[in-house]
PDB file of all heavy atoms in Angstrom:
ATOM      1  N   HIS A   1     -68.111   4.942  -3.553  1.00  0.00           N
ATOM      2  CA  HIS A   1     -68.154   6.368  -3.613  1.00  0.00           C
ATOM      3  C   HIS A   1     -66.968   6.959  -4.391  1.00  0.00           C
ATOM      4  O   HIS A   1     -67.080   8.072  -4.941  1.00  0.00           O
ATOM      5  CB  HIS A   1     -68.223   7.009  -2.204  1.00  0.00           C
ATOM      6  CG  HIS A   1     -67.030   6.810  -1.397  1.00  0.00           C
ATOM      7  ND1 HIS A   1     -66.450   5.544  -1.092  1.00  0.00           N
ATOM      8  CD2 HIS A   1     -66.126   7.621  -0.823  1.00  0.00           C
ATOM      9  CE1 HIS A   1     -65.391   5.673  -0.395  1.00  0.00           C
ATOM     10  NE2 HIS A   1     -65.137   6.985  -0.236  1.00  0.00           N
ATOM     11  N   MET A   2     -65.826   6.258  -4.485  1.00  0.00           N
ATOM     12  CA  MET A   2     -64.737   6.758  -5.274  1.00  0.00           C
ATOM     13  C   MET A   2     -64.795   6.161  -6.718  1.00  0.00           C
ATOM     14  O   MET A   2     -64.314   6.851  -7.640  1.00  0.00           O
ATOM     15  CB  MET A   2     -63.430   6.278  -4.618  1.00  0.00           C
ATOM     16  CG  MET A   2     -63.159   6.823  -3.225  1.00  0.00           C
ATOM     17  SD  MET A   2     -63.247   8.576  -3.202  1.00  0.00           S
ATOM     18  CE  MET A   2     -61.924   9.038  -4.375  1.00  0.00           C
ATOM     19  N   ALA A   3     -65.435   5.065  -6.966  1.00  0.00           N
ATOM     20  CA  ALA A   3     -65.450   4.469  -8.293  1.00  0.00           C
ATOM     21  C   ALA A   3     -66.656   5.133  -9.109  1.00  0.00           C
ATOM     22  O   ALA A   3     -66.570   5.052 -10.344  1.00  0.00           O
ATOM     23  CB  ALA A   3     -65.715   2.945  -8.181  1.00  0.00           C
ATOM     24  N   ALA A   4     -67.596   5.733  -8.465  1.00  0.00           N
ATOM     25  CA  ALA A   4     -68.741   6.325  -9.196  1.00  0.00           C
ATOM     26  C   ALA A   4     -68.318   7.672  -9.717  1.00  0.00           C
ATOM     27  O   ALA A   4     -68.684   8.703  -9.233  1.00  0.00           O
ATOM     28  CB  ALA A   4     -69.976   6.438  -8.205  1.00  0.00           C
ATOM     29  N   GLN A   5     -67.703   7.624 -10.884  1.00  0.00           N
ATOM     30  CA  GLN A   5     -67.120   8.839 -11.483  1.00  0.00           C
ATOM     31  C   GLN A   5     -67.802   9.049 -12.834  1.00  0.00           C
ATOM     32  O   GLN A   5     -67.331   9.867 -13.624  1.00  0.00           O
ATOM     33  CB  GLN A   5     -65.657   8.758 -11.636  1.00  0.00           C
ATOM     34  CG  GLN A   5     -64.885   8.594 -10.370  1.00  0.00           C
ATOM     35  CD  GLN A   5     -63.367   8.638 -10.513  1.00  0.00           C
ATOM     36  OE1 GLN A   5     -62.885   9.177 -11.545  1.00  0.00           O
ATOM     37  NE2 GLN A   5     -62.680   8.107  -9.622  1.00  0.00           N
ATOM     38  N   PHE A   6     -68.937   8.513 -13.189  1.00  0.00           N
ATOM     39  CA  PHE A   6     -69.568   8.635 -14.424  1.00  0.00           C
ATOM     40  C   PHE A   6     -70.152  10.049 -14.617  1.00  0.00           C
ATOM     41  O   PHE A   6     -70.509  10.438 -15.748  1.00  0.00           O
ATOM     42  CB  PHE A   6     -70.671   7.570 -14.682  1.00  0.00           C
ATOM     43  CG  PHE A   6     -71.535   7.382 -13.513  1.00  0.00           C
ATOM     44  CD1 PHE A   6     -72.631   8.118 -13.232  1.00  0.00           C
ATOM     45  CD2 PHE A   6     -71.258   6.274 -12.620  1.00  0.00           C
ATOM     46  CE1 PHE A   6     -73.462   7.912 -12.182  1.00  0.00           C
ATOM     47  CE2 PHE A   6     -72.135   5.994 -11.496  1.00  0.00           C
ATOM     48  CZ  PHE A   6     -73.199   6.852 -11.277  1.00  0.00           C
ATOM     49  N   LEU A   7     -70.308  10.874 -13.579  1.00  0.00           N
ATOM     50  CA  LEU A   7     -70.838  12.160 -13.783  1.00  0.00           C
ATOM     51  C   LEU A   7     -69.696  13.183 -13.853  1.00  0.00           C
ATOM     52  O   LEU A   7     -69.926  14.302 -14.178  1.00  0.00           O
ATOM     53  CB  LEU A   7     -71.666  12.580 -12.575  1.00  0.00           C
ATOM     54  CG  LEU A   7     -73.111  11.947 -12.480  1.00  0.00           C
ATOM     55  CD1 LEU A   7     -73.901  12.497 -11.353  1.00  0.00           C
ATOM     56  CD2 LEU A   7     -73.850  12.057 -13.791  1.00  0.00           C
ATOM     57  N   VAL A   8     -68.465  12.774 -13.715  1.00  0.00           N
ATOM     58  CA  VAL A   8     -67.301  13.737 -13.746  1.00  0.00           C
ATOM     59  C   VAL A   8     -67.219  14.327 -15.162  1.00  0.00           C
ATOM     60  O   VAL A   8     -67.150  15.559 -15.281  1.00  0.00           O
ATOM     61  CB  VAL A   8     -66.024  12.987 -13.409  1.00  0.00           C
ATOM     62  CG1 VAL A   8     -64.851  13.894 -13.656  1.00  0.00           C
ATOM     63  CG2 VAL A   8     -66.000  12.651 -11.854  1.00  0.00           C
ATOM     64  N   PRO A   9     -67.232  13.485 -16.161  1.00  0.00           N
ATOM     65  CA  PRO A   9     -67.244  14.102 -17.586  1.00  0.00           C
ATOM     66  C   PRO A   9     -68.332  15.087 -17.858  1.00  0.00           C
ATOM     67  O   PRO A   9     -68.247  16.023 -18.522  1.00  0.00           O
ATOM     68  CB  PRO A   9     -67.253  12.935 -18.526  1.00  0.00           C
ATOM     69  CG  PRO A   9     -66.819  11.762 -17.693  1.00  0.00           C
ATOM     70  CD  PRO A   9     -67.286  12.023 -16.315  1.00  0.00           C
ATOM     71  N   VAL A  10     -69.509  14.761 -17.312  1.00  0.00           N
ATOM     72  CA  VAL A  10     -70.686  15.541 -17.493  1.00  0.00           C
ATOM     73  C   VAL A  10     -70.477  16.901 -16.800  1.00  0.00           C
ATOM     74  O   VAL A  10     -70.810  17.982 -17.377  1.00  0.00           O
ATOM     75  CB  VAL A  10     -71.970  14.952 -16.840  1.00  0.00           C
ATOM     76  CG1 VAL A  10     -73.221  15.789 -17.084  1.00  0.00           C
ATOM     77  CG2 VAL A  10     -72.186  13.448 -17.472  1.00  0.00           C
ATOM     78  N   ILE A  11     -70.051  16.944 -15.604  1.00  0.00           N
ATOM     79  CA  ILE A  11     -69.693  18.233 -14.919  1.00  0.00           C
ATOM     80  C   ILE A  11     -68.696  18.983 -15.711  1.00  0.00           C
ATOM     81  O   ILE A  11     -68.925  20.232 -15.921  1.00  0.00           O
ATOM     82  CB  ILE A  11     -69.116  17.857 -13.505  1.00  0.00           C
ATOM     83  CG1 ILE A  11     -70.329  17.306 -12.614  1.00  0.00           C
ATOM     84  CG2 ILE A  11     -68.697  19.216 -12.820  1.00  0.00           C
ATOM     85  CD1 ILE A  11     -69.793  16.773 -11.326  1.00  0.00           C
ATOM     86  N   LEU A  12     -67.669  18.325 -16.115  1.00  0.00           N
ATOM     87  CA  LEU A  12     -66.587  19.127 -16.901  1.00  0.00           C
ATOM     88  C   LEU A  12     -67.221  19.633 -18.245  1.00  0.00           C
ATOM     89  O   LEU A  12     -66.781  20.771 -18.640  1.00  0.00           O
ATOM     90  CB  LEU A  12     -65.429  18.221 -17.136  1.00  0.00           C
ATOM     91  CG  LEU A  12     -64.626  17.758 -15.871  1.00  0.00           C
ATOM     92  CD1 LEU A  12     -63.533  16.791 -16.292  1.00  0.00           C
ATOM     93  CD2 LEU A  12     -64.145  18.974 -15.081  1.00  0.00           C
ATOM     94  N   ALA A  13     -67.997  18.926 -18.892  1.00  0.00           N
ATOM     95  CA  ALA A  13     -68.660  19.280 -20.202  1.00  0.00           C
ATOM     96  C   ALA A  13     -69.486  20.587 -19.895  1.00  0.00           C
ATOM     97  O   ALA A  13     -69.582  21.400 -20.801  1.00  0.00           O
ATOM     98  CB  ALA A  13     -69.373  18.248 -20.725  1.00  0.00           C
ATOM     99  N   LEU A  14     -70.191  20.592 -18.770  1.00  0.00           N
ATOM    100  CA  LEU A  14     -71.011  21.729 -18.472  1.00  0.00           C
ATOM    101  C   LEU A  14     -70.266  22.995 -18.023  1.00  0.00           C
ATOM    102  O   LEU A  14     -70.675  24.136 -18.238  1.00  0.00           O
ATOM    103  CB  LEU A  14     -72.069  21.411 -17.416  1.00  0.00           C
ATOM    104  CG  LEU A  14     -73.135  20.390 -17.758  1.00  0.00           C
ATOM    105  CD1 LEU A  14     -73.943  19.897 -16.606  1.00  0.00           C
ATOM    106  CD2 LEU A  14     -74.057  20.954 -18.843  1.00  0.00           C
ATOM    107  N   VAL A  15     -69.065  22.850 -17.451  1.00  0.00           N
ATOM    108  CA  VAL A  15     -68.263  23.916 -16.968  1.00  0.00           C
ATOM    109  C   VAL A  15     -67.454  24.467 -18.181  1.00  0.00           C
ATOM    110  O   VAL A  15     -67.351  25.729 -18.346  1.00  0.00           O
ATOM    111  CB  VAL A  15     -67.252  23.464 -15.855  1.00  0.00           C
ATOM    112  CG1 VAL A  15     -66.302  24.542 -15.541  1.00  0.00           C
ATOM    113  CG2 VAL A  15     -68.088  23.076 -14.625  1.00  0.00           C
ATOM    114  N   PHE A  16     -66.842  23.635 -18.991  1.00  0.00           N
ATOM    115  CA  PHE A  16     -65.946  24.112 -19.984  1.00  0.00           C
ATOM    116  C   PHE A  16     -66.587  23.926 -21.405  1.00  0.00           C
ATOM    117  O   PHE A  16     -67.300  23.057 -21.679  1.00  0.00           O
ATOM    118  CB  PHE A  16     -64.616  23.299 -20.011  1.00  0.00           C
ATOM    119  CG  PHE A  16     -63.860  23.430 -18.690  1.00  0.00           C
ATOM    120  CD1 PHE A  16     -63.691  22.424 -17.787  1.00  0.00           C
ATOM    121  CD2 PHE A  16     -63.312  24.727 -18.362  1.00  0.00           C
ATOM    122  CE1 PHE A  16     -62.988  22.613 -16.613  1.00  0.00           C
ATOM    123  CE2 PHE A  16     -62.592  24.877 -17.196  1.00  0.00           C
ATOM    124  CZ  PHE A  16     -62.481  23.870 -16.285  1.00  0.00           C
ATOM    125  N   ARG A  17     -66.157  24.884 -22.339  1.00  0.00           N
ATOM    126  CA  ARG A  17     -66.570  24.776 -23.674  1.00  0.00           C
ATOM    127  C   ARG A  17     -65.475  24.027 -24.468  1.00  0.00           C
ATOM    128  O   ARG A  17     -64.319  23.912 -24.013  1.00  0.00           O
ATOM    129  CB  ARG A  17     -66.715  26.118 -24.259  1.00  0.00           C
ATOM    130  CG  ARG A  17     -67.866  26.957 -23.710  1.00  0.00           C
ATOM    131  CD  ARG A  17     -69.243  26.355 -24.108  1.00  0.00           C
ATOM    132  NE  ARG A  17     -69.306  26.310 -25.594  1.00  0.00           N
ATOM    133  CZ  ARG A  17     -69.687  27.290 -26.376  1.00  0.00           C
ATOM    134  NH1 ARG A  17     -69.974  28.478 -25.789  1.00  0.00           N
ATOM    135  NH2 ARG A  17     -69.715  27.182 -27.654  1.00  0.00           N
ATOM    136  N   PRO A  18     -65.758  23.579 -25.675  1.00  0.00           N
ATOM    137  CA  PRO A  18     -64.663  22.902 -26.516  1.00  0.00           C
ATOM    138  C   PRO A  18     -63.490  23.839 -26.776  1.00  0.00           C
ATOM    139  O   PRO A  18     -63.592  25.022 -26.901  1.00  0.00           O
ATOM    140  CB  PRO A  18     -65.358  22.570 -27.753  1.00  0.00           C
ATOM    141  CG  PRO A  18     -66.824  22.560 -27.499  1.00  0.00           C
ATOM    142  CD  PRO A  18     -66.977  23.617 -26.421  1.00  0.00           C
ATOM    143  N   GLU A  19     -62.300  23.178 -26.914  1.00  0.00           N
ATOM    144  CA  GLU A  19     -61.110  23.952 -27.242  1.00  0.00           C
ATOM    145  C   GLU A  19     -61.155  24.464 -28.708  1.00  0.00           C
ATOM    146  O   GLU A  19     -61.588  23.711 -29.496  1.00  0.00           O
ATOM    147  CB  GLU A  19     -59.906  23.088 -27.057  1.00  0.00           C
ATOM    148  CG  GLU A  19     -58.546  23.771 -27.298  1.00  0.00           C
ATOM    149  CD  GLU A  19     -57.387  22.871 -27.480  1.00  0.00           C
ATOM    150  OE1 GLU A  19     -57.712  21.670 -27.912  1.00  0.00           O
ATOM    151  OE2 GLU A  19     -56.280  23.237 -27.370  1.00  0.00           O
ATOM    152  N   PRO A  20     -60.786  25.687 -28.991  1.00  0.00           N
ATOM    153  CA  PRO A  20     -60.829  26.198 -30.318  1.00  0.00           C
ATOM    154  C   PRO A  20     -59.543  26.003 -31.029  1.00  0.00           C
ATOM    155  O   PRO A  20     -58.515  25.632 -30.633  1.00  0.00           O
ATOM    156  CB  PRO A  20     -61.095  27.641 -30.073  1.00  0.00           C
ATOM    157  CG  PRO A  20     -60.200  27.957 -28.938  1.00  0.00           C
ATOM    158  CD  PRO A  20     -60.383  26.701 -28.051  1.00  0.00           C
ATOM    159  N   ALA A  21     -59.654  26.227 -32.390  1.00  0.00           N
ATOM    160  CA  ALA A  21     -58.531  26.476 -33.283  1.00  0.00           C
ATOM    161  C   ALA A  21     -57.591  25.343 -33.562  1.00  0.00           C
ATOM    162  O   ALA A  21     -56.603  25.444 -34.285  1.00  0.00           O
ATOM    163  CB  ALA A  21     -57.590  27.590 -32.678  1.00  0.00           C
ATOM    164  N   ASP A  22     -57.908  24.049 -33.180  1.00  0.00           N
ATOM    165  CA  ASP A  22     -56.947  22.993 -33.502  1.00  0.00           C
ATOM    166  C   ASP A  22     -57.605  22.353 -34.791  1.00  0.00           C
ATOM    167  O   ASP A  22     -58.812  22.149 -34.893  1.00  0.00           O
ATOM    168  CB  ASP A  22     -56.909  21.857 -32.434  1.00  0.00           C
ATOM    169  CG  ASP A  22     -55.895  20.922 -32.789  1.00  0.00           C
ATOM    170  OD1 ASP A  22     -54.716  21.218 -32.750  1.00  0.00           O
ATOM    171  OD2 ASP A  22     -56.246  19.689 -33.068  1.00  0.00           O
ATOM    172  N   PRO A  23     -56.808  22.147 -35.795  1.00  0.00           N
ATOM    173  CA  PRO A  23     -57.329  21.616 -37.073  1.00  0.00           C
ATOM    174  C   PRO A  23     -58.090  20.342 -36.939  1.00  0.00           C
ATOM    175  O   PRO A  23     -57.727  19.490 -36.096  1.00  0.00           O
ATOM    176  CB  PRO A  23     -56.029  21.392 -37.934  1.00  0.00           C
ATOM    177  CG  PRO A  23     -55.007  22.307 -37.314  1.00  0.00           C
ATOM    178  CD  PRO A  23     -55.337  22.312 -35.851  1.00  0.00           C
ATOM    179  N   GLY A  24     -59.133  20.128 -37.629  1.00  0.00           N
ATOM    180  CA  GLY A  24     -59.869  18.893 -37.582  1.00  0.00           C
ATOM    181  C   GLY A  24     -61.348  19.150 -37.447  1.00  0.00           C
ATOM    182  O   GLY A  24     -61.751  20.248 -37.158  1.00  0.00           O
ATOM    183  N   PRO A  25     -62.189  18.155 -37.844  1.00  0.00           N
ATOM    184  CA  PRO A  25     -63.562  18.446 -37.783  1.00  0.00           C
ATOM    185  C   PRO A  25     -64.211  18.706 -36.467  1.00  0.00           C
ATOM    186  O   PRO A  25     -65.204  19.335 -36.305  1.00  0.00           O
ATOM    187  CB  PRO A  25     -64.139  17.013 -38.340  1.00  0.00           C
ATOM    188  CG  PRO A  25     -63.036  16.031 -38.069  1.00  0.00           C
ATOM    189  CD  PRO A  25     -61.758  16.822 -38.131  1.00  0.00           C
ATOM    190  N   VAL A  26     -63.507  18.222 -35.374  1.00  0.00           N
ATOM    191  CA  VAL A  26     -64.184  18.443 -34.050  1.00  0.00           C
ATOM    192  C   VAL A  26     -63.900  19.828 -33.591  1.00  0.00           C
ATOM    193  O   VAL A  26     -64.710  20.431 -32.860  1.00  0.00           O
ATOM    194  CB  VAL A  26     -63.539  17.419 -33.062  1.00  0.00           C
ATOM    195  CG1 VAL A  26     -64.113  17.668 -31.673  1.00  0.00           C
ATOM    196  CG2 VAL A  26     -63.910  15.985 -33.469  1.00  0.00           C
ATOM    197  N   HIS A  27     -62.782  20.409 -33.939  1.00  0.00           N
ATOM    198  CA  HIS A  27     -62.407  21.777 -33.395  1.00  0.00           C
ATOM    199  C   HIS A  27     -62.443  22.878 -34.449  1.00  0.00           C
ATOM    200  O   HIS A  27     -61.755  23.799 -34.263  1.00  0.00           O
ATOM    201  CB  HIS A  27     -61.007  21.635 -32.831  1.00  0.00           C
ATOM    202  CG  HIS A  27     -60.849  20.452 -31.883  1.00  0.00           C
ATOM    203  ND1 HIS A  27     -61.494  20.378 -30.660  1.00  0.00           N
ATOM    204  CD2 HIS A  27     -60.090  19.372 -31.941  1.00  0.00           C
ATOM    205  CE1 HIS A  27     -61.139  19.283 -30.024  1.00  0.00           C
ATOM    206  NE2 HIS A  27     -60.362  18.644 -30.849  1.00  0.00           N
ATOM    207  N   SER A  28     -63.224  22.693 -35.429  1.00  0.00           N
ATOM    208  CA  SER A  28     -63.233  23.773 -36.533  1.00  0.00           C
ATOM    209  C   SER A  28     -63.965  24.968 -36.089  1.00  0.00           C
ATOM    210  O   SER A  28     -63.725  26.019 -36.714  1.00  0.00           O
ATOM    211  CB  SER A  28     -63.878  23.012 -37.792  1.00  0.00           C
ATOM    212  OG  SER A  28     -65.128  22.659 -37.509  1.00  0.00           O
ATOM    213  N   GLU A  29     -64.932  24.840 -35.149  1.00  0.00           N
ATOM    214  CA  GLU A  29     -65.601  26.048 -34.778  1.00  0.00           C
ATOM    215  C   GLU A  29     -64.819  26.991 -33.799  1.00  0.00           C
ATOM    216  O   GLU A  29     -64.143  26.488 -32.919  1.00  0.00           O
ATOM    217  CB  GLU A  29     -66.888  25.699 -34.018  1.00  0.00           C
ATOM    218  CG  GLU A  29     -67.897  25.000 -34.988  1.00  0.00           C
ATOM    219  CD  GLU A  29     -69.208  24.789 -34.301  1.00  0.00           C
ATOM    220  OE1 GLU A  29     -69.314  25.296 -33.164  1.00  0.00           O
ATOM    221  OE2 GLU A  29     -70.111  24.081 -34.719  1.00  0.00           O
ATOM    222  N   ALA A  30     -64.795  28.241 -34.063  1.00  0.00           N
ATOM    223  CA  ALA A  30     -64.244  29.167 -33.156  1.00  0.00           C
ATOM    224  C   ALA A  30     -65.156  29.398 -31.935  1.00  0.00           C
ATOM    225  O   ALA A  30     -66.368  29.245 -32.045  1.00  0.00           O
ATOM    226  CB  ALA A  30     -63.972  30.575 -33.772  1.00  0.00           C
ATOM    227  N   VAL A  31     -64.568  29.662 -30.766  1.00  0.00           N
ATOM    228  CA  VAL A  31     -65.404  29.798 -29.599  1.00  0.00           C
ATOM    229  C   VAL A  31     -65.927  31.144 -29.643  1.00  0.00           C
ATOM    230  O   VAL A  31     -65.379  32.180 -29.845  1.00  0.00           O
ATOM    231  CB  VAL A  31     -64.445  29.709 -28.346  1.00  0.00           C
ATOM    232  CG1 VAL A  31     -65.189  30.070 -27.120  1.00  0.00           C
ATOM    233  CG2 VAL A  31     -63.937  28.280 -28.211  1.00  0.00           C
ATOM    234  N   ARG A  32     -67.298  31.206 -29.432  1.00  0.00           N
ATOM    235  CA  ARG A  32     -67.994  32.440 -29.352  1.00  0.00           C
ATOM    236  C   ARG A  32     -68.631  32.646 -27.972  1.00  0.00           C
ATOM    237  O   ARG A  32     -68.924  31.716 -27.301  1.00  0.00           O
ATOM    238  CB  ARG A  32     -69.180  32.356 -30.434  1.00  0.00           C
ATOM    239  CG  ARG A  32     -68.755  32.130 -31.812  1.00  0.00           C
ATOM    240  CD  ARG A  32     -69.923  32.105 -32.759  1.00  0.00           C
ATOM    241  NE  ARG A  32     -70.795  30.973 -32.392  1.00  0.00           N
ATOM    242  CZ  ARG A  32     -70.670  29.804 -32.930  1.00  0.00           C
ATOM    243  NH1 ARG A  32     -69.688  29.544 -33.752  1.00  0.00           N
ATOM    244  NH2 ARG A  32     -71.542  28.871 -32.558  1.00  0.00           N
TER     245      ARG A  32
END
């Protein structure tokens, strides 16, 4: 029950949006 953490990134991805404004292809979009 403690090792089964494969849904933790999924939960965080649904709660938070990507970080804006850092140079690079991943973060080039501004948050809307």
Side-chain angles (χ1 to χ4, degrees):
H1 66 299
M2 297 305 302
Q5 297 186 25
F6 44 83
L7 289 185
V8 172
V10 180
I11 294 172
L12 296 177
L14 291 170
V15 171
F16 297 111
R17 294 290 304 277
E19 183 197 23
D22 189 69
V26 176
H27 308 296
S28 58
E29 292 187 10
V31 173
R32 299 180 299 273

